[in-house]
Structure formats: structure tokens, C-alpha cells
Amino acid sequence: MKLWNGAGRRIYMQEVGTRDGLQAESAFVATEEKIALVDALSRAGVAKIEVTAFVSPRVIPALSDADAVLRGIERRPGVVYSALVPNVRGAERAIEARADELNLVMSASETHNLANLRMTRSQSFDALSAVAHIARDTGVAINVSLSCAFGCPMEGNVAESTVMEWCDAFIGTIGARGVTLCDTTGMAYPTQVAALASAFRTRWPDTELTLHFHNTRGMGLANVLAGIDAGAHRFDASLGGIGGCPYAPGATGNVCSEEIVHALELMGYDTGVNLGGLIDAAKRLPALIGHDIPSQIVKAGRRLDLHRPPADFGAIRERAHGRPLPAAPQV
Amino acid sequence: MKLWNGAGRRIYMQEVGTRDGLQAESAFVATEEKIALVDALSRAGVAKIEVTAFVSPRVIPALSDADAVLRGIERRPGVVYSALVPNVRGAERAIEARADELNLVMSASETHNLANLRMTRSQSFDALSAVAHIARDTGVAINVSLSCAFGCPMEGNVAESTVMEWCDAFIGTIGARGVTLCDTTGMAYPTQVAALASAFRTRWPDTELTLHFHNTRGMGLANVLAGIDAGAHRFDASLGGIGGCPYAPGATGNVCSEEIVHALELMGYDTGVNLGGLIDAAKRLPALIGHDIPSQIVKAGRRLDLHRPPADFGAIRERAHGRPLPAAPQV
């Protein structure tokens, strides 16, 4: 199957750790550390970075320095610097701080939208439209992230037709450049991903489609591969795998950037990312956020990061070679 | 692609937690608890269980009760009760305790074989042959597990031809009923798995092929799917994901049985396993081994294990519906 052989196909990695990850942390990461992190990520070759969120500092104190961070980073050509904005006020701040793209969020599930954003989906959509109106006037691109596109932790399944209808509203009515289908609580599974991504690609071949998976139930990489097989080539991921899930304490959240890049590079895909640079950046996270990170690659190293044989290996080999017969009893 | 739609295809789940998992634990799990665990696994519908290992109690004290466990379990028709044996002495004990199958181990890597078994591969093969000779006389089946089939943590890549040559020796010379290709330290990646499993299946269509993956670098489920796509349908996995990796402290080891079953069932495969029963068994592990387990499914629940909306959800909804305009400022 073609999927197993990447053959140099380009996959675009989009970093969400600095927003989706850090917003879930109780520690406040210093502004200059955040800037250094974003700069390390862009130097490593990540295609897009969700740098921060322009939200109320009362609601998310961890990102209260959104303006300073977005103004302080080094702008590397080709990298898209995105910011999450919940409303017109946030959009104005993000545009002033020179965001390349505004990321807007609403949920495919009415219950989740109410519980999370305290609005109906219809009210959220109106708010999104207002932001899009401003963005259009300033030439800043719009991406809409649709939460719970693969299921709602309270409602259960979300119909594919519901997801497609909202996408139609984002693309047709709002004029979004891109849509992100978000697996907010890790309910996506490969069969579903392949079907939904394929339906999206067929209907909107020219719209930027991003898939945003969480590894909550261990299916993150498998979902990425199902997405690739269905024609998707943009994936959100979080450095170190940071970012939890409020519905599953202790479970991992976002898929881990260096794990996805490590796997895709081995499979022959071109992620454009310098894996070493990415791992170095991830290794700085525990000191910044004050705890261990989920990243399996930081723990175990890359596939060919080899280990030395045991210290007495020479003696073991000599003894073995000196034995004419196997150690086990003969029959 | 056919892979994403299981369409009821049968996948055989083989449990290694009671051997590969428990042998790595410092806690000694009481014999009756081990027996209860094996019985819970067979009741849940697992196809094969590596019950224990007949090794020196000095080397692996955690499994010093191998005879009592294998004699004490309930024998469910259709379930294969396997035991790891390192030599003729172990094989004799396992056969006396009524093992259905003996699992023999050697490594595809000379360095790993020496470091791990203190013999050359050739000496290990002679020992295996001696065990197989005994097994043949008693009608007990032989499976050979080839460690480092996807790479050696000290040597690096292992040539596919090396793996195929050893498989040929196991099948052609020893007459093994089955071969397990083991990803001992989590070096396998999907492209490689698809190629190796496909080469094996083509050459030995009638030999029982098992793939044994570790999730050390987050590629466990993706490797299982690559294996299925290449025609494999037997997979080792460990309840709760227990069993570490000596080369990566803190990293996860074996792929987690309930994670694999959860994913494959969602994809429409028939694992024959009652997932609820499997999860219940996994939930008992932390009390037995004295620490948390890697299982993401135990932490996060199944995909449709839903959550209640927040306690003030009624009030949130009422307020939202009472608002004629979106909460966001209008333009």
C-alpha cells in the first residue's frame, strides 16, 4: 500500500504546543522563554505555529502575554504565525501584533459548545462571522477549528453530515482559508478519519484542511496515517505531547510533534522538520512547565540512537566462543 | 483502503502481560492472583496466553511459581496456553505442567543475543533445536520468538535477509508451528513492518506468524495496522501495557492489549475479545503490581464512555438562549 512508502511526499507540521499546550499548564512560562520556544520551533522547520491566544488574561492567565510574545518572535519566511482569537476584541489585538492567521474555534456539538464557550453554536458562528469580517478588511487569513468533529464527550457520536454542514458555513459563508477538524477528546478512530477526511477533500479540494488529533486513547499516529491515506497533509501536534484533556485526568492530550515527525520521516515522508532541533526544544519543556512530558521520543530517543553493550560484553563473548556446546543440556 | 474497514476480519490477540509484563515487576504477584488474571483473560476471549516462563527462579524470581500457575488455571477450550522456556530443563517442566505450546527465544542480533542470553546465536539455535526435539516427541507445539527482528538497540538495523534466514531455520529445520517477530525495544516502523510481514507471509503462508510490538516510540498501533495490511492477523499485547524496556527507563513497553482491541473493534475487526472484561482485568493490575499502568483506555475510558455536562449546564443554556445576539462584540 502506498501509505507505507512516503516517497518524499510533503506533510506540513503545525505546532500547537505554545497555545494548546501551555494554556493547560498551571506554571506561567516567562515571555522570553515562550519567544525562545517559538523561535526554536520555526528554526526546526515547522510550517505553522499557533503562537498564543488573545483571550481574557482572567480566563487563561498562562497566555496573558500574548501581545508581547507575538511581537517578540523572530519572523522566519515561510512560517505561518497563527493566533487563536475568541472574538473581535481578540482579533483586533492579534492583528495589531501581526498575526499571519487568526484561528477561530467553535464546536460541532451543541452541548460541548455551550459547556465550553457558553454560547449556542449559532451564536458562536455569528461571533466567528464578525471576526472574519474584520480579518477580511485587513487581509489576515482565517482558519476555523471545529472542536468535537470526531465525537463529543457528552453527546457521543457527531454525524458526519453535521461536520460537513459547519465546514460548508465556514468555507462558503465566512470564506475561511482553512478548516481544522479537531479530535478534542481523543474519540477519533482511523476508519472514521479516513471517511471524514476523504469526504472533506472531495468536496473542498482547494481548502486548507488540518487534522488535529489527541492521543487520549492511543490512536494518534494511526489517525494521522488514516488522514494521509485520505489525502490530508496538514497535522496539528504539540511539542513534547503537552496539553491534557479535561475529561480524562492523567491521559495524554495532543499528539506529540516529535513522535509524529519521527514516525513520518522513517516512513519516507518529507515533514520539512529538523527532528534533532525539535527534540532539543522538547527537552527544554520540563524545566519550563515543572513536570515530565509525555514524549516517548524524549524518553527513548530516536530509533537509531544506539546503546553500548554491557560493560562485561567482551568477557561474555569470550566465554561464549570458548564453549563448544550450547549452555543448555543436550539430548 | 481496505485496511480502514475491518469488515469483520478475524484478528487473534495473544496476551503476554502475565509473562513479559510481570517478569519486569519488582513486586511478586501472588500465585492465586496470577491464576485469576489468566482466567480473566481467557474468559475475555484472548486467543493465546503466554502464561509464564520456566526459567531459573534466581534469574526471574517474579515467575518462580510457573508450575503452580500453569497447573492452577482453568483450561478454556480454544485458548492456547503457552509458556516461555529457555532450555530443555524448562521445556520438561512446562510440558509436565501441560503447556499447549512452548515459546523459545533467540535474537536476530548477535550482540543482543550475547548480551541477553550469554550465548552466540548459533549456540542459542542449538539449544532451541534440543528443546524442539523433546517437544516433537510429546506433541507439544513450538513457537520461536525472534528478538530484535526490527532492529537492535546496540547494532542498529538488522537486515531483512538475516531475519528471513533465521525464520527459515526455525520453520525448515526445527519445524516450528509459529514464529513471532519481536520488536524488542520499539524500533519497528510501519514501512518496515509492512515489508517484513509481507515477505514472511509470501514465503510461509501456512506458518503461524505473530507480530510483537512495543510502543516505546509511539508507533505500536500503527505497526499493528501495517502488519494487518500485509496479511498478519496475530498480535502479542500486554494487559495494561505493562512490561518496560531496559534500554529506555520510563518508556512504555509492550503495546497495550485493551488499547489495541479498542482500536481494532472500532475499525470493524473481530478480535473475539470482550473489551469490557479485558478492561476490568487491567483495572486490577495497579493493586497487584503496586503502581500505575500505561493503559490509555483505563485512564480515559472507551470512546463512548460519556461524561455528564457541567453541573450548571441548565443555567448556561438558559442564559445563552436568552441572548438574542452573540456574546462577542458586533461590527
Side-chain angles (χ1 to χ4, degrees):
Chain A
M1 214 241 310
K2 225 178 107 194
L3 171 67
W4 311 124
N5 179 8
R9 266 175 291 166
R10 182 72 162 96
I11 300 293
Y12 297 85
M13 295 302 298
Q14 308 185 161
E15 179 60 39
V16 300
T18 43
R19 199 280 301 170
D20 205 355
L22 292 186
Q23 78 169 35
E25 296 297 330
S26 49
F28 181 84
V29 175
T31 305
E32 59 270 30
E33 296 285 6
K34 285 180 182 137
I35 291 171
L37 208 52
V38 171
D39 289 347
L41 287 160
S42 64
R43 268 199 305 276
V46 167
K48 189 188 282 189
I49 304 174
E50 192 168 88
V51 176
T52 185
F54 287 86
V55 291
S56 160
R58 275 179 299 107
V59 180
I60 305 183
L63 303 182
S64 60
D65 55 359
D67 305 80
V69 173
L70 196 53
R71 284 170 204 271
I73 55 173
E74 184 191 338
R75 303 284 174 138
R76 291 185 84 83
V79 177
V80 175
Y81 297 93
S82 175
L84 186 142
V85 302
N87 51 35
V88 167
R89 175 81 194 96
E92 287 166 344
R93 288 170 59 201
I95 291 167
E96 276 224 357
R98 295 206 296 124
D100 295 324
E101 176 190 279
L102 306 183
N103 187 25
L104 315 180
V105 179
M106 64 171 280
S107 182
S109 147
E110 184 76 4
T111 305
H112 185 262
N113 204 78
L114 278 162
N116 200 39
L117 303 175
R118 305 191 160 241
M119 290 186 264
T120 64
R121 286 176 296 181
S122 160
Q123 289 167 340
S124 280
F125 182 74
D126 287 346
L128 262 55
S129 307
V131 171
H133 189 78
I134 286 192
R136 204 163 20 237
D137 291 346
T138 58
V140 174
I142 289 286
N143 184 80
V144 184
S145 285
L146 185 63
S147 305
C148 297
F150 300 91
C152 167
M154 292 164 289
E155 288 187 10
N157 286 316
V158 169
E160 189 178 300
S161 58
T162 303
V163 174
M164 294 295 276
E165 279 160 26
W166 284 110
C167 291
D168 191 34
F170 305 149
I171 298 162
T173 309
I174 291 186
R177 174 176 71 181
V179 171
T180 304
L181 299 178
C182 298
D183 180 26
T184 310
T185 62
M187 294 175 74
Y189 57 99
T191 309
Q192 176 195 32
V193 170
L196 190 52
S198 173
F200 187 105
R201 272 267 142 271
T202 303
R203 179 133 169 220
W204 298 288
D206 301 323
T207 300
E208 205 176 274
L209 168 65
T210 297
L211 299 179
H212 173 111
F213 295 121
H214 281 216
N215 197 34
T216 320
R217 291 175 174 90
M219 294 185 281
L221 175 60
N223 284 333
V224 168
L225 296 180
I228 291 176
D229 196 49
H233 52 237
R234 291 187 170 268
F235 297 92
D236 281 353
S238 173
L239 191 70
I242 61 171
C245 172
Y247 294 96
T252 48
N254 295 289
V255 292
C256 170
S257 306
E258 60 271 25
E259 284 181 28
I260 300 295
V261 169
H262 178 262
L264 292 183
E265 293 282 336
L266 283 171
M267 294 177 70
Y269 290 93
D270 170 20
T271 65
V273 174
N274 175 329
L275 182 55
L278 202 61
I279 294 173
D280 287 345
K283 283 181 175 164
R284 284 151 54 181
L285 283 173
L288 297 181
I289 60 179
H291 58 81
D292 193 18
I293 54 177
S295 173
Q296 308 258 80
I297 296 301
V298 166
K299 288 193 184 80
R302 283 179 280 194
R303 177 174 184 272
L304 288 179
D305 288 346
L306 300 185
H307 297 257
R308 286 168 179 280
D312 59 342
F313 185 75
I316 293 171
R317 182 167 46 192
E318 218 166 282
R319 263 199 309 277
H321 284 150
R323 251 193 322 254
L325 290 172
Q330 292 296 286
V331 289
Chain B
M1 211 239 315
K2 226 179 108 195
L3 172 66
W4 313 122
N5 180 9
R9 266 175 290 164
R10 183 73 162 96
I11 300 293
Y12 296 85
M13 296 302 299
Q14 307 185 161
E15 179 61 39
V16 300
T18 43
R19 198 281 300 170
D20 205 355
L22 292 186
Q23 79 170 33
E25 297 296 331
S26 50
F28 181 83
V29 175
T31 305
E32 60 270 31
E33 296 284 7
K34 286 181 181 134
I35 291 171
L37 209 52
V38 171
D39 289 347
L41 286 159
S42 65
R43 269 198 305 276
V46 167
K48 188 188 281 191
I49 304 173
E50 192 167 90
V51 176
T52 187
F54 287 86
V55 291
S56 159
R58 274 179 299 105
V59 179
I60 305 183
L63 302 182
S64 61
D65 54 358
D67 305 80
V69 174
L70 197 54
R71 285 170 203 270
I73 55 173
E74 184 192 337
R75 304 286 174 136
R76 291 185 82 82
V79 177
V80 174
Y81 296 94
S82 175
L84 187 143
V85 302
N87 52 32
V88 166
R89 174 81 193 96
E92 287 167 343
R93 286 170 60 202
I95 291 166
E96 275 225 358
R98 295 206 295 122
D100 295 325
E101 178 189 277
L102 305 183
N103 187 26
L104 315 180
V105 179
M106 65 172 278
S107 183
S109 149
E110 185 75 5
T111 306
H112 185 263
N113 204 79
L114 278 162
N116 200 39
L117 303 174
R118 303 187 164 248
M119 291 187 263
T120 65
R121 286 176 296 180
S122 159
Q123 290 166 338
S124 279
F125 183 74
D126 287 346
L128 262 55
S129 306
V131 171
H133 189 78
I134 285 192
R136 208 167 15 242
D137 291 345
T138 58
V140 173
I142 289 286
N143 184 80
V144 184
S145 285
L146 185 63
S147 302
C148 296
F150 300 90
C152 167
M154 292 164 289
E155 289 186 11
N157 285 318
V158 169
E160 188 178 301
S161 58
T162 304
V163 173
M164 294 294 277
E165 280 161 25
W166 284 110
C167 290
D168 191 34
F170 304 149
I171 297 163
T173 310
I174 290 185
R177 174 177 71 180
V179 171
T180 303
L181 299 178
C182 298
D183 180 27
T184 310
T185 62
M187 295 176 72
Y189 57 100
T191 308
Q192 177 195 33
V193 170
L196 190 52
S198 173
F200 187 105
R201 272 267 142 272
T202 303
R203 178 132 169 222
W204 298 288
D206 301 324
T207 300
E208 205 176 274
L209 167 65
T210 297
L211 298 179
H212 174 113
F213 296 120
H214 281 215
N215 197 35
T216 319
R217 291 173 174 91
M219 295 186 281
L221 176 59
N223 284 333
V224 168
L225 296 180
I228 290 177
D229 196 49
H233 52 236
R234 291 187 169 270
F235 297 92
D236 281 353
S238 172
L239 192 70
I242 62 172
C245 172
Y247 294 96
T252 48
N254 295 288
V255 292
C256 170
S257 307
E258 60 271 27
E259 284 181 26
I260 301 296
V261 169
H262 178 262
L264 293 182
E265 293 281 336
L266 283 170
M267 295 177 70
Y269 290 92
D270 171 19
T271 64
V273 173
N274 176 331
L275 181 55
L278 203 61
I279 294 173
D280 286 346
K283 284 182 175 165
R284 284 151 54 182
L285 283 173
L288 297 181
I289 60 180
H291 60 80
D292 194 16
I293 54 176
S295 172
Q296 308 259 77
I297 296 300
V298 165
K299 286 194 186 78
R302 285 179 277 194
R303 176 174 184 272
L304 287 179
D305 288 347
L306 301 184
H307 297 257
R308 286 167 179 280
D312 59 342
F313 185 74
I316 294 170
R317 180 166 48 191
E318 220 167 281
R319 264 199 309 277
H321 284 149
R323 249 190 328 250
L325 291 171
Q330 292 297 287
V331 288

